[in-house]
Amino acid sequence: ISVTYATEMEGTYFENLEIKLKSRSPEPDLFMTGVYQLWNYLARDYLEPLDPFLDDPLQTASDYNFEDFFPTLIDSLRCDGESFRLGEGPVMALPLGFEIYPIAYNRRIFNERGLEPPETLEDLAELCGELKEFNGPDSFALALRGSANWSTIHTGYITVYRSFGAVDLIRSGEKWVSLVDGAESLRMNRYWVDLIREGGPPDWESYDWYRAGAALGDGRAAMLFDADIVGFFQNTPGASREAGNIAWVPTPVPEGKRGSGGASNLWIWSLAMNGDSRSKPAAWLLMEYFTHPSYQRWSAVERMNVNPPRRSVFLDPEFQRIISQAEGYGDTLLEMIDRSAVQFTPNPKSIELYLLWTETLRKMVLDRDSDMGEELSRLRFSMESLLNN
């Protein structure tokens, strides 16, 4: 087959892809997607279900080994477009990589101060107080995202939100009901806002993936609550001032769950097929190639593609040797992956919804005169209006 490909900056990629899919263009045949965008495409019938290819021995190699993918990843990419329940319905995309949200910390800073990494959320809050401006006014305890982007709430925020027992959405008949102003949500948001004000960067509202990772890498932040791979790339030799000093522990849990092990939200970079493609058999061959065990091992071992979505690749001795240089990284991921899952409730307008949610969080943090209960009630009304109209 002949392959033509294009690359684009993430900031404009999703917008331009949406335009093409909405116009029912047959190109691109395949495209990269995140798990939340997948729900939007599913609701608009933009996707080609993949089960017919996976189940056909004439189209899928006998050594493809579909069962080798971490089950939680496949469950998160299998969705029923009517009920929007994960783990049900057809497989709508195949994983290329994933991330979860443990705590990365600077072990040099912790060792110098005789501190232990957090096991509970209470520990994390206490450390934010102890490490506030630990090395002068430009230093801070915890790097967190705060930019005006939906991704601000999909890392540590939604992970902690669910650990408090809070729920974002439920379906009641044909209606969506938001629970973001419930008692559990109010408690969690108070905790999170206090965490940012006490331990976060002074200019938290400007922090994205890049700034949060850089703050850990240059030693201004003692901890990072973000994607595991953000800290991983800061820790590789020569990547940052603190390379070699970064370590990982599982996501902290509420005090009452100490010892139970943290769960995390889950993000998956995936390949999906355009339902309007005119070259579906060829597109499947390319998709099969990129998700086959042999290619995924090559990408992990030779090109440091972290994190590989296949268990056999993750456990491959050569890949284990690569990640063994990052203290606690491999053990933390293996401990957490099977109990981590997408913590948002699948819905057909996810990205718009999470932008509204991020806007509310930023207002609660930055406007000290705002009433948190009122802000969350307004958010509930906005979410229900968006979903039900």
Side-chain angles (χ1 to χ4, degrees):
I1 61 175
S2 177
V3 177
T4 302
Y5 70 92
T7 60
E8 191 170 341
M9 293 294 291
E10 185 180 346
T12 56
Y13 169 79
F14 287 112
E15 292 179 13
N16 292 339
L17 177 63
E18 177 77 22
I19 292 170
K20 290 181 178 180
L21 295 175
K22 188 174 182 179
S23 70
R24 313 307 299 202
S25 168
E27 297 179 351
D29 300 286
L30 298 177
F31 54 89
M32 180 274 294
T33 180
V35 66
Y36 317 139
Q37 289 86 352
L38 203 64
W39 306 334
N40 297 5
Y41 305 150
L42 183 60
R44 295 163 177 78
D45 195 29
Y46 293 160
L47 301 172
E48 183 70 18
L50 300 178
D51 297 75
F53 301 100
L54 289 164
D55 295 340
D56 187 347
L58 296 179
Q59 298 192 79
T60 300
S62 59
D63 61 350
Y64 184 74
N65 194 7
F66 181 67
E67 303 303 319
D68 184 37
F69 289 111
F70 286 110
T72 188
L73 303 184
I74 297 301
D75 285 346
S76 299
L77 298 173
R78 189 187 294 278
C79 189
D80 183 340
E82 294 184 5
S83 66
F84 276 92
R85 291 177 181 167
L86 292 183
E88 299 182 8
V91 175
M92 305 308 301
L94 290 174
L96 295 175
F98 72 93
E99 63 188 46
I100 58 175
Y101 308 102
I103 294 289
Y105 69 99
N106 188 314
R107 59 183 176 177
R108 176 187 62 79
I109 294 170
F110 272 62
N111 289 341
E112 288 173 355
R113 289 157 178 78
L115 299 173
E116 294 293 329
E119 183 178 347
T120 68
L121 293 170
E122 290 77 6
D123 294 342
L124 182 61
E126 184 175 335
L127 284 167
C128 281
E130 293 189 37
L131 289 164
K132 187 173 185 178
E133 297 185 353
F134 66 90
N135 192 32
D138 191 41
S139 63
F140 52 93
L142 183 64
L144 296 158
R145 295 191 211 187
S147 64
N149 186 289
W150 59 266
S151 64
T152 284
I153 65 164
H154 99 105
T155 58
Y157 178 89
I158 193 63
T159 296
V160 173
Y161 184 88
R162 292 307 294 265
S163 75
F164 267 72
V167 177
D168 53 351
L169 298 168
I170 59 171
R171 287 287 291 271
S172 179
E174 296 300 313
K175 293 287 187 179
W176 290 92
V177 178
S178 170
L179 302 177
V180 294
D181 60 348
E184 294 85 359
S185 174
L186 189 59
R187 285 195 305 111
M188 180 273 167
N189 278 282
R190 284 176 178 150
Y191 170 86
W192 196 254
V193 169
D194 287 345
L195 200 70
I196 294 167
R197 290 176 178 171
E198 182 70 11
D203 51 346
W204 164 81
E205 66 275 14
S206 67
Y207 267 63
D208 55 13
W209 159 294
Y210 304 99
R211 290 201 69 189
L216 181 71
D218 65 22
R220 286 182 300 121
M223 297 179 286
L224 171 75
F225 200 168
D226 206 288
D228 44 42
I229 60 177
V230 178
F232 182 88
F233 290 122
Q234 293 291 331
N235 197 56
T236 55
S240 72
R241 184 187 306 163
E242 296 295 331
N245 290 330
I246 300 170
W248 286 259
V249 291
T251 305
V253 296
E255 180 63 42
K257 298 180 181 178
R258 183 186 289 270
S260 63
S264 169
N265 189 35
L266 180 67
W267 172 262
I268 312 166
W269 289 117
S270 307
L271 270 181
M273 187 184 299
N274 186 348
D276 291 296
S277 167
R278 294 172 186 160
S279 305
K280 292 175 185 176
W284 170 250
L285 288 176
L286 187 60
M287 180 180 280
E288 180 187 9
Y289 170 78
F290 279 124
T291 57
H292 190 276
S294 59
Y295 180 86
Q296 294 213 333
R297 183 190 183 279
W298 176 86
S299 68
V301 171
E302 301 297 332
R303 292 293 184 267
M304 206 180 292
N305 175 30
V306 290
N307 299 302
R310 286 181 172 272
R311 190 179 295 272
S312 66
V313 177
F314 196 94
L315 295 177
D316 183 276
E318 187 60 22
F319 183 71
Q320 285 292 305
R321 184 193 64 78
I322 292 170
I323 63 174
S324 68
Q325 301 170 51
E327 182 179 313
Y329 188 83
D331 290 342
T332 294
L333 263 66
L334 279 177
E335 178 183 335
M336 293 184 62
I337 181 59
D338 290 332
R339 62 172 179 257
S340 295
V342 175
Q343 301 295 322
F344 290 108
T345 300
N347 67 86
K349 296 182 179 179
S350 57
I351 301 303
E352 296 170 84
L353 215 66
Y354 305 153
L355 282 169
L356 290 172
W357 202 340
T358 297
E359 182 182 337
T360 298
L361 174 62
R362 283 164 55 88
K363 184 171 183 180
M364 292 189 299
V365 172
L366 300 174
D367 183 0
R368 291 179 178 267
D369 294 326
S370 64
D371 184 291
M372 188 173 292
E374 291 179 3
E375 294 299 335
L376 291 173
S377 291
R378 277 192 282 270
L379 175 61
R380 174 183 58 80
F381 177 80
S382 297
M383 292 171 75
E384 291 178 351
S385 297
L386 176 65
L387 286 168
N388 294 322
N389 294 319

